[in-house]
Amino acid sequence: MSLSYAVAVDHLNARGLELAPPPQSSPDAPPRPRPKFDLDHMRVLAAALGDPQRSFPSVLIAGTNGKGSTCATLASILAAAGYRTALYTSPHLARINERIQISSAVDPTEYASADVPASAGPGEMHTIPDEDFARLYFQVDHAGRELVEAGKLPQEPSYFETVTALAFCYFAESKVDIAVLEVGLGGRLDATNIVDPLLSIITDIALDHMDFLGTTIAEITREKAGILRPNGTLITLPQHPEANQAIGEVAATLNLRAISAADLTPPTPQHVFAGSGGEGGASLPANRYTLSVDHQPLRVDSPLPGQHQQRNIALAIAAALELRNGSGDKSNGSGNKHSYNISNAAIEAGIRNTRWPGRLELIAGTPEILLDVAHNPAGAWTLRAAIAQLPEERPRTLIFSCLRDKSLTEMARILLPLFDSSSDGSPSRPQDHVIFAPIDSPRASSVEDLMAAAHALGIPAHAAPHVAAALAQARQVTPPDGLIIATGSVYLIGELRELALQT
């Protein structure tokens, strides 16, 4: 790691995270107001950098859960079709570079057969190199400071504004064919929303970030629908009635075209299982099924397990179909106005090659470790549904932590009873354990609050001094044929995943 990169990351981290509670001048001082988001600030910064976001077409994706998986799947499809594809997501698991990726060159004829195995190589997404990150960081930082000195910005760009601007500069200078962009928070005022997207995608919406976005599904949906454009194109799926109504109300004022991806979900439940296999190995529902697209079979074989991923895959396929040009010539202007040449074989290959770690990800070992970034009640319910597919008799240990602006009480009620080793547990699970671990974030729930949540439910739990100790303790108390399940926060999964892969 170069010195300039380390300095850049330290300098970036010193800006603080937008969602972290503002520091108090003293314990008795009244709470400081949270920062207000203003998209005009991002526009001013982008203009000073030459408006890099205007150099490439983009797809913008908002939602509460599933937007990262949808982004990763769609980007993989576009890369498999031979396009130099950019991917911007947040937050990261281990390194900030993960947020900014570009695909390597690929010959789409490589995927003429569905039998081609997924492998690292052409079409693989690559994170921004450290040297480019540092160079562009200081470029964005310099522009921000000059704007403040000139009175064009009230304060220096935030952490997320800075990283977003850096990503746009990298994509522009790399001359990408298309960028798939994940909204960071909400949509209407998010820094990514300065682009003019070819498509806007809205994934599943649930209650989250209520301090910023509103306290009801309808209010949150209206914020996320801020990524829609007049006369634009929306791709979504039927979901919560309040969300459906709010999306419909916003769409009606914009004269846009709405596309439902419902026909691209499998018509019947699937019973194919994936995992490490073997006697007693973890098995999770795999997404392997066949759809009919343009009267041709399209075989879905995704490495992302869980029935919930079928909705994200459907959204990605719908986006690919909307972008593609059936004539096969990107330059002839026929088909839709975007004219991307995306064959069914490229869609199949892209789905097959999708990489999105930390989402029901199984780490081999003795015992095995299942990682999932479920960080809100909706995500917890999804994880609970996946756990219900596992052998009931298999001992399991939960490693859990979450941020204090999440609904700890509700998440505890959803997940902790599945690991209840008390005599009152139903069904009885005497070999199970719950271990709480502190995470490195100013927004982290305290271990005391985590323990109190377990105590309120009458479920035995232990507290570890740090994540490494939690993993060591889980490995010690879980039988070799058991399963460790870690969840509750991206911060927890990011740190624990690195440890699990190293040891």
Side-chain angles (χ1 to χ4, degrees), residues 129 173 266 305 481:
E173 70 176 30
D481 62 343

Side-chain angles (χ1 to χ4, degrees), residues 283-364:
S283 294
L284 291 168
N287 290 306
R288 296 174 189 156
Y289 47 89
T290 300
L291 303 171
S292 177
V293 173
D294 292 341
H295 309 293
Q296 296 293 325
L298 189 149
R299 300 173 185 84
V300 171
D301 183 3
S302 173
L304 305 182
Q307 189 171 357
H308 65 289
Q309 290 290 0
Q310 294 170 10
R311 292 174 61 83
N312 304 325
I313 294 167
L315 290 168
I317 296 173
L321 295 179
E322 175 61 17
L323 289 169
R324 84 177 177 184
N325 170 15
S327 72
D329 183 359
K330 182 181 175 182
S331 63
N332 68 4
S334 63
N336 70 40
K337 64 181 180 180
H338 313 311
S339 298
Y340 285 87
N341 178 17
I342 307 171
S343 66
N344 278 13
I347 294 174
E348 292 176 344
I351 293 171
R352 229 172 26 245
N353 294 340
T354 303
R355 296 293 175 265
W356 195 232
R359 281 73 181 174
L360 288 179
E361 180 184 12
L362 192 66
I363 305 295

Side-chain angles (χ1 to χ4, degrees), residues 91-114:
H92 56 275
L93 285 177
R95 303 185 81 229
I96 184 72
N97 306 50
E98 297 168 19
R99 300 184 182 214
I100 304 169
Q101 302 183 41
I102 294 179
S103 66
S104 55
V106 64
D107 178 359
T109 60
E110 174 185 349
Y111 299 114
S113 168

Side-chain angles (χ1 to χ4, degrees), residues 396 416-434 458-462:
R396 54 199 182 209
L416 265 57
L418 303 181
F419 303 84
D420 186 2
S421 62
S422 69
S423 57
D424 297 330
S426 179
S428 177
R429 303 198 58 84
Q431 295 188 77
D432 283 13
H433 303 272
V434 174
I459 295 175
H462 306 276

Side-chain angles (χ1 to χ4, degrees), residues 27-318:
D28 299 326
R32 292 184 180 180
R34 290 186 180 272
K36 292 185 177 180
F37 301 107
D38 189 334
L39 204 56
D40 285 339
H41 296 169
M42 185 64 190
R43 292 191 180 103
V44 169
L45 176 61
L49 295 166
D51 280 321
Q53 78 283 358
R54 296 182 180 176
S55 301
F56 52 84
S58 61
V59 175
L60 190 56
I61 303 180
T64 304
N65 292 313
K67 60 184 187 292
S69 297
T70 304
C71 282
T73 303
L74 178 57
S76 185
I77 290 171
L78 289 163
Y83 293 96
R84 188 164 172 77
T85 304
L87 175 63
Y88 180 60
T89 59
S90 62
H92 56 275
L93 285 177
R95 303 185 81 229
I96 184 72
N97 306 50
E98 297 168 19
R99 300 184 182 214
I100 304 169
Q101 302 183 41
I102 294 179
S103 66
S104 55
V106 64
D107 178 359
T109 60
E110 174 185 349
Y111 299 114
S113 168
D115 297 328
V116 175
S119 62
E124 182 185 12
M125 305 302 297
H126 297 278
T127 60
I128 180 172
D130 291 356
E131 295 76 12
D132 290 324
F133 185 96
R135 172 178 56 82
L136 291 171
Y137 172 78
F138 290 117
Q139 178 182 326
V140 173
D141 176 63
H142 177 72
R145 285 188 284 108
E146 283 196 331
L147 290 168
V148 173
E149 291 170 4
K152 295 181 180 180
L153 283 180
Q155 69 270 331
E156 291 189 19
S158 68
Y159 182 106
F160 189 74
E161 288 170 339
T162 300
V163 178
T164 302
L166 190 163
F168 289 170
C169 289
Y170 183 57
F171 298 158
E173 70 176 30
S174 300
K175 295 181 170 54
V176 300
D177 294 314
I178 189 167
V180 180
L181 310 174
E182 178 186 5
V183 167
L185 174 70
R188 181 175 64 92
L189 298 176
D190 189 78
T192 60
N193 201 30
I194 64 170
V195 302
D196 186 17
L198 300 177
L199 308 174
S200 300
I201 302 175
I202 297 180
T203 67
D204 290 340
I205 295 173
L207 295 174
D208 202 4
H209 296 301
M210 291 182 285
D211 288 351
F212 296 91
L213 303 179
T215 58
T216 67
I217 292 288
E219 290 175 338
I220 293 171
T221 302
R222 281 191 284 272
E223 286 294 319
K224 296 183 184 296
I227 69 168
L228 304 181
R229 298 292 189 269
N231 304 308
T233 301
L234 160 68
I235 297 176
T236 191
L237 278 165
Q239 50 177 298
H240 192 287
E242 287 185 41
N244 292 338
Q245 180 175 345
I247 292 172
E249 290 171 351
V250 174
T253 68
L254 297 174
N255 191 38
L256 56 72
R257 191 162 66 95
I259 298 171
S260 172
D263 289 343
L264 297 169
T265 56
T268 57
Q270 305 302 303
H271 300 286
V272 178
F273 288 82
S276 64
E279 198 68 30
S283 294
L284 291 168
N287 290 306
R288 296 174 189 156
Y289 47 89
T290 300
L291 303 171
S292 177
V293 173
D294 292 341
H295 309 293
Q296 296 293 325
L298 189 149
R299 300 173 185 84
V300 171
D301 183 3
S302 173
L304 305 182
Q307 189 171 357
H308 65 289
Q309 290 290 0
Q310 294 170 10
R311 292 174 61 83
N312 304 325
I313 294 167
L315 290 168
I317 296 173

